[in-house]
Amino acid sequence: MADDFQVWVFGDHRNFFQDRLTLQVLAQARRLADKRKGLAVVVLLGHEVDDIAKEYIAHGAHRVLKINHPLLANYQVDLFTSTICDLIHEHGPDIFLLGGSDFGRELAPRMAKRLKVGLCADCIELELDSETGKLTASSPAFGGSVVARIAWSESRPWMATISPGIFNEQGHNESFRGEIVRVEKNIDEAQIRVRTVSSFREPKQVRPLEDANVVVAGGRGMKDVNGFHYVRELAMMLGGEVGATRPAVDEHWTSHDNLIGQTGKSIKPRLLITCGTSGAIQYTAGIKEAETIVAVNRDPHAFIFQIADLGVVADANSFLPALIAEIKRHQFQEITELYRAGRIQEEIGGDSTFGRRIKRLREDRKLTTGQLASQTGETPEFIDRVEKDTVTPPVSFLLQLAHAFDIDPSNFLSKQEKIEIGEKRHEGFFKRTQSYSYRTLTAGAADKHLRAFMVTIEPKKRHKIVEYKHPGEEFVYVMSGELEITLGSKAYHLKPGETIHFNSETKHRLRNLCEEKCELIVVLYTP
Ligand SMILES: Cc1cc2nc3c(=O)[nH]c(=O)nc-3n(C[C@H](O)[C@H](O)[C@H](O)COP(=O)(O)OP(=O)(O)OC[C@H]3O[C@@H](n4cnc5c(N)ncnc54)[C@H](O)[C@@H]3O)c2cc1C
């Protein structure tokens, strides 16, 4: 057991954010340790983490207990729990603090259970009681409506997690002195029950939330991750960014980078649409500078309505899909009209050209020209020319766009445009069927959206390779022979009884690989 009063901190160092959180926790550990003339100690598990250990010293750690092992390179909750608990048994610290990161929240209760000690989650205040000498804490309860005072019993360590952004970190100070103690431990691979196959960092937001002109924020009222998806979609439709309250972040519906409020970001958009948020003071602290606030809440008495410029009393999970559909309808109507105007007069000038509008819609959806090209079955160069208004695309491009933007085009196209698209479909169909011998299974359905054929491709020597793409879907069932079907750059081999179903906007070509006839049933859906 240690003679000194020791406050230990779990060194969560996976990425920058968690790194800062550990520094915030470390500042508290140092403050508490200094009160008892004790030690602030960071427990650092990892592989080749010397630089991080030095950073902890420069931020106030008296000591870093470092266990260096390749098996500790990735976080493994079982292994970390047992390794840290062993260290605690050996050294007997008085307090053990963890940042309330994803991993900290996973690790802390497991450790507390194993050590049979008390754990207080999401502390916003930590003190050593002047009379009893024990640790006391404040922690929000019942959705933040009350703050509970917590005191620990005798059994140590007194464990607590701390939410991100509650405390400040102690600045980096090269003159701080501390020791890095290398701890040798046998790491038992058998304890690793979950293997990390690969890991990657979530991409950072392109435009910081603080600088966004439009923010759509969601709270607990969005119900679940599917409900929160409407928030994301609306933000995308409006070319805005996604924001969230603490419960939405805690539920992992979105990342911590999107948290608004006292412990998150302060935003100043021209338009904020805030959905399923009650208007707690810790949240509204971050939206004071929003120019126009639209609030959607099903409770007419929700506090958020007191600060909103426009209030919508509605179930956000019904209101948002309806709003999104209406915006899509409006946007597509606009591009259809611009398309027609551009066809009548080549140059209509101003900001409102078909190409510029397409570019804006694409950028709002955060798509590259390459991505829009593959979604519409065109080349990136073609999209580039469309956006620069140097080419007038065929009317079928509108149809492809509608699919790419998930809009039902049928209400927007004129009779003439539908005829033009129909003619294109016939043309493509004619070109295609010239290369095969086929028998239609849906007689009289040439104009219909769904058609089925029995197709025969002669043995390979005599077969001419042709490549197609057309809006819609295609389903192929191989009855006999061996078929090679190439979708984009990937080839698939199908044997009798095997099937493939694909988006026919991907370039595709069929080839008979064997010396016998290849017989297929092909079902085409063209919108
Ligand atoms: C020290 C401290 C710091 C904090 N920092 C932050 C912070 O930075 N940011 C932050 O956001 N929070 C913070 N909090 C938490 C804060 O106190 C609130 O708990 C939180 O903001 C509430 O989030 P909410 O509005 O999403 O959830 P709730 O308060 O639960 O509100 C949900 C709302 O959704 C409505 N609703 C429910 N269903 C629907 C539906 N179907 N359609 C429409 N509306 C619906 C309800 O009427 C309700 O008004 C902090 C708390 C503490 C103690």
Side-chain angles (χ1 to χ4, degrees), residues 122-124 139-147 163-164 166 218-223 244-248 253 259-265 275-284 296-300 302-304 312 314-318:
D122 298 328
C123 297
I124 54 172
S139 166
F142 301 107
S145 49
V146 295
V147 174
S163 297
I166 301 286
R220 200 194 318 260
M222 296 315 301
K223 215 157 80 190
T245 60
R246 160 91 50 204
W253 300 342
L259 177 67
I260 296 172
Q262 184 187 322
T263 51
K265 292 180 174 156
C275 314
T277 58
S278 59
I281 190 156
Q282 294 87 354
Y283 170 65
T284 55
V296 184
N297 196 305
R298 68 175 178 194
D299 173 7
F303 180 76
I304 193 75
V312 180
D315 178 343
N317 287 289
S318 314

Side-chain angles (χ1 to χ4, degrees), residues 296-362:
V296 184
N297 196 305
R298 68 175 178 194
D299 173 7
H301 305 295
F303 180 76
I304 193 75
F305 288 135
Q306 297 198 20
I307 55 165
D309 299 282
L310 182 70
V312 180
V313 180
D315 178 343
N317 287 289
S318 314
F319 178 75
L320 290 196
L323 179 62
I324 290 165
E326 186 54 30
I327 294 172
K328 278 184 184 171
R329 206 188 64 75
H330 176 78
Q331 287 180 339
F332 197 68
Q333 183 143 26
E334 197 189 343
I335 56 174
T336 311
E337 278 160 16
L338 286 169
Y339 177 78
R340 288 181 194 135
R343 271 188 137 191
I344 297 164
Q345 49 183 116
E346 289 289 81
E347 261 302 322
I348 60 170
D351 269 348
S352 310
T353 65
F354 177 71
R356 276 175 225 166
R357 190 70 186 100
I358 296 297
K359 184 165 193 253
R360 218 170 76 211
L361 282 177
R362 174 181 64 74

